[in-house]
Amino acid sequence: MATDNRINFWRRNTKVPGSVQPVYGAQHPPLDPRLRRTYPKDTKPKFNNLKSKKACSFHEFACSTNDAWDIDDEEDENFCGTPFSASFTPSGQDLTSSVHNQQLRHQTGETENVLPHILTPPGDEDHNPQKDDGSGCERVNGKFVKSSSDADLNTSSVRSSLQKQQSLPVRPIIPLVARISDQNASGAPPMTVREKSRLDKFKQLLASPNTDLEELRKHSWSGIPREVRPITWRLLSGYLPANKERRELVLKRKREEYFGFIEQYYHSRTDEHYKDTYRQIHIDIPRTNPLIPLFQQPAVQEVFERILFIWAIRHPASGYVQGINDLVTPFFVVFLSEFVMEDVENFDVAALPLETQRNIEADSFWCMSKLLDGIQDNYTFAQPGIQNKVKALEELVSRIDVDIHNHFKKYEVEYLQFAFRWMNNLLMRELPLRCTIRLWDTYQAEAEGFSHFHLYVCAAFLIEWRKEILCMVDFQSLLMLLQNLPTIHWGNEEVGLLLAEAYRLKYMFADAPNHYKR
């Protein structure tokens, strides 16, 4: 009987975590559910009886869902059928209008009471807490509250307001949430004395006839200054040689080689053998940071299509896999910033000289290729690299925080349900793009940063949300939290703390695997 109830529950509730619904993480602010679906007053969905239903198993969950990080295929295929026009900016005017209205309400004292919590820095757990009756679970930092199934609501007005809060993660709707140019969300001054000294040290290292790569990695670990990031990334990725005299020749040769691939292979995208690959790339490109105008420009989307298609046909063991499209964006933005001083995310790439555009494209291709060479088993058949990393994450968490591990077991949450996306996309769907660029500074500097150190970053990232995870007391709430972690206001300071904790975990466990193996 219990099994029948479980199955019927998921059949009745089509909106399950990870189902064919848009997933909105750090780079995707939540849609207003009232714009997607409206209910008559007497037919609003009731959540009061959810607690009596036992959480479904992973098998039943998997049968009802697509992969945990994908976005609605039907919706995207509809709008991908025709290319974006140059004037198209997704939700730009609507979002700007929404922010303006929020500011007006704030001035008149009508701002929703969740906004102060959202702006609270992570870790400030005692600031203006809210507790549910009898639970002792606080709501902090704009993060989740308990499911309404845990409360005995006596009035329809209380139930209605609570359901509005819980229908989607509470988060401010702001435009361009993954701001590229705002490297410090904490409001730090643009250039301190220490930062200027670090920049001078980088320039000194890069100007030497033979750059000391070990010294460059040591200085890059704690972040690379924006002015020298493009050349530093090229060197640390292995794309450029350490010898300064050889760099121009290597750049010229590699760029010509890439465009040779374009002339040789790109016309075959319509061939029977490759058309499915090209079709999937064409569908996925508009999904790449859809709220940043830069990535909706036709010229940029064409660049991404060429890069991904050429990489796919040159790596037949894996081919193109959804998620690889995200890995191009940090390189493209960093190499574009070399020529753009103003707001990169709104810059019209077509305004650059054609030769510059071609150089940015070729450099992005080769650096992405170098990255994927180290993690290609993540994308081969059955993706064994990801499965091994998720298993290692589970073993590591079981040792460093048994409470979280047991909490997941109690509510039948499998690590693969949320950590697959963390490994497949290197946390790019969980963090704003500015944070990803800072994170990759360290990955480039760390030995096996993308393949090995990333495991410890994921463990530290999970433990960061310990308080919120332990407050969730049902399967659906846990999955919704883990797929929509509120990192929208993160900056360099938060990423630096995350990396420090990851380094501590690596220091303790990397060379002593028996410490966390059962």
Side-chain angles (χ1 to χ4, degrees):
M1 184 64 181
T3 302
D4 293 340
N5 288 341
R6 254 191 338 224
I7 296 173
N8 290 333
F9 166 75
W10 291 109
R11 285 175 178 168
R12 289 195 305 270
N13 292 268
T14 58
K15 190 172 183 179
V16 296
S19 65
V20 188
Q21 299 286 341
V23 176
Y24 294 91
Q27 303 182 30
H28 309 285
L31 296 177
D32 187 338
R34 291 167 292 184
L35 299 179
R36 292 182 59 84
R37 185 181 302 169
T38 57
Y39 300 95
K41 289 184 179 178
D42 57 343
T43 62
K44 285 187 179 180
K46 304 246 182 327
F47 300 101
N48 297 23
N49 60 348
L50 294 190
K51 191 175 181 180
S52 62
K53 303 290 191 298
K54 189 174 181 294
C56 84
S57 67
F58 177 40
H59 176 72
E60 294 171 28
F61 170 84
C63 292
S64 306
T65 64
N66 282 339
D67 52 78
W69 53 267
D70 203 359
I71 301 178
D72 188 350
D73 285 328
E74 287 93 319
E75 289 184 5
D76 284 322
E77 284 195 37
N78 289 337
F79 78 78
C80 286
T82 56
F84 284 96
S85 65
S87 61
F88 177 74
T89 302
S91 305
Q93 294 179 350
D94 294 340
L95 289 172
T96 304
S97 175
S98 174
V99 174
H100 180 65
N101 292 337
Q102 283 187 4
Q103 292 172 346
L104 290 177
R105 289 199 302 273
H106 179 71
Q107 293 171 2
T108 57
E110 296 177 7
T111 305
E112 295 180 36
N113 59 2
V114 300
L115 199 53
H117 304 298
I118 295 167
L119 300 178
T120 305
D124 190 3
E125 300 171 353
D126 298 326
H127 180 68
N128 201 5
Q130 295 178 349
K131 295 186 179 181
D132 289 310
D133 293 339
S135 68
C137 177
E138 298 179 359
R139 177 173 160 276
V140 184
N141 214 17
K143 295 159 188 168
F144 294 76
V145 294
K146 279 195 174 183
S147 169
S148 57
S149 61
D150 296 334
D152 184 14
L153 303 178
N154 297 321
T155 65
S156 60
S157 62
V158 174
R159 183 184 299 113
S160 175
S161 63
L162 191 58
Q163 288 171 0
K164 286 180 182 178
Q165 285 183 348
Q166 295 167 345
S167 58
L168 282 170
V170 179
R171 199 171 297 147
I173 300 177
I174 60 175
L176 303 177
V177 292
R179 293 196 64 84
I180 298 164
S181 55
D182 296 339
Q183 289 297 307
N184 279 313
S186 57
M191 181 70 75
T192 63
V193 174
R194 179 178 178 275
E195 288 169 344
K196 188 177 186 305
S197 174
R198 292 189 73 243
L199 177 59
D200 292 341
K201 181 62 177 177
F202 271 92
K203 289 180 177 179
Q204 180 182 345
L205 282 169
L206 296 170
S208 62
N210 287 284
T211 301
D212 186 341
L213 294 181
E214 285 304 313
E215 191 71 11
L216 187 63
R217 287 190 179 95
K218 185 175 73 173
H219 284 81
S220 299
W221 205 99
S222 56
I224 302 171
R226 184 181 187 273
E227 295 83 350
V228 294
R229 183 176 278 133
I231 181 65
T232 304
W233 276 27
R234 291 187 186 103
L235 285 165
L236 294 182
S237 67
Y239 174 43
L240 281 186
N243 184 280
K244 187 176 180 181
E245 292 182 356
R246 294 180 53 220
R247 289 175 195 166
E248 284 301 320
L249 290 175
V250 170
L251 278 177
K252 186 175 183 295
R253 177 173 57 81
K254 298 297 282 185
R255 289 166 178 172
E256 289 175 353
E257 184 179 354
Y258 168 72
F259 284 102
F261 294 151
I262 296 291
E263 293 178 9
Q264 185 176 358
Y265 299 119
Y266 193 60
H267 64 84
S268 65
R269 65 190 182 279
T270 56
D271 293 353
E272 186 67 26
H273 185 63
Y274 295 122
K275 69 178 184 180
D276 288 341
T277 296
Y278 179 74
R279 174 184 171 276
Q280 189 60 61
I281 291 171
H282 187 72
I283 289 173
D284 288 346
I285 292 300
R287 300 175 178 178
T288 307
N289 296 290
L291 296 178
I292 298 181
L294 173 68
F295 299 112
Q296 302 310 313
Q297 297 175 27
V300 175
Q301 294 187 355
E302 290 170 7
V303 166
F304 279 35
E305 285 184 0
R306 287 193 293 268
I307 290 174
L308 294 171
F309 182 77
I310 295 302
W311 188 88
I313 64 175
R314 294 189 73 244
H315 296 80
S318 61
Y320 173 74
V321 177
Q322 287 177 302
I324 294 179
N325 55 304
D326 286 329
L327 306 184
V328 186
T329 57
F331 292 114
F332 184 83
V333 168
V334 167
F335 297 144
L336 177 63
S337 68
E338 196 171 13
F339 305 96
V340 180
M341 294 299 105
E342 65 265 25
D343 202 4
V344 176
E345 59 216 17
N346 292 300
F347 182 76
D348 182 7
V349 173
L352 287 172
L354 181 60
E355 186 66 23
T356 300
Q357 296 180 45
R358 288 167 60 89
N359 292 344
I360 293 171
E361 177 179 346
D363 292 354
S364 299
F365 169 81
W366 286 114
C367 288
M368 186 198 74
S369 297
K370 292 287 187 181
L371 185 162
L372 289 171
D373 286 347
I375 57 172
Q376 193 170 354
D377 62 342
N378 284 8
Y379 305 105
T380 53
F381 178 73
Q383 299 182 270
I386 290 180
Q387 295 193 45
N388 292 336
K389 290 181 178 69
V390 171
K391 183 61 178 175
L393 177 65
E394 181 177 358
E395 292 175 346
L396 182 57
V397 173
S398 70
R399 290 303 187 187
I400 63 179
D401 198 319
V402 69
D403 290 339
I404 287 181
H405 183 71
N406 289 338
H407 195 68
F408 287 158
K409 291 177 65 177
K410 179 179 179 181
Y411 295 105
E412 302 182 30
V413 174
E414 299 285 344
Y415 284 78
L416 194 65
Q417 292 168 322
F418 62 89
F420 176 89
R421 185 169 77 182
W422 295 10
M423 303 299 178
N424 190 74
N425 300 75
L426 299 177
L427 287 176
M428 287 195 62
R429 296 288 178 95
E430 325 312 319
L431 297 171
L433 186 53
R434 63 175 180 269
C435 295
T436 297
I437 291 172
R438 167 62 191 91
L439 188 67
W440 284 22
D441 285 347
T442 299
Y443 282 3
Q444 300 265 18
E446 182 75 23
E448 298 183 316
F450 294 98
S451 60
H452 185 62
F453 187 62
H454 181 68
L455 167 67
Y456 299 97
V457 172
C458 288
F461 188 65
L462 183 64
I463 303 305
E464 170 71 21
W465 309 101
R466 183 180 195 276
K467 183 180 180 66
E468 291 73 27
I469 289 170
L470 295 179
C471 282
M472 298 296 108
V473 293
D474 62 79
F475 174 85
Q476 182 170 341
S477 299
L478 277 166
L479 261 293
M480 287 295 291
L481 169 66
L482 291 167
Q483 292 179 3
N484 296 273
L485 291 166
T487 59
I488 191 172
H489 293 292
W490 275 33
N492 284 357
E493 182 179 351
E494 289 79 8
V495 175
L497 292 172
L498 179 70
L499 289 166
E501 177 63 14
Y503 183 81
R504 185 185 71 85
L505 293 175
K506 180 192 172 189
Y507 184 80
M508 292 174 62
F509 293 102
D511 296 323
N514 289 332
H515 285 186
Y516 65 83
K517 282 186 178 178
R518 292 190 181 278

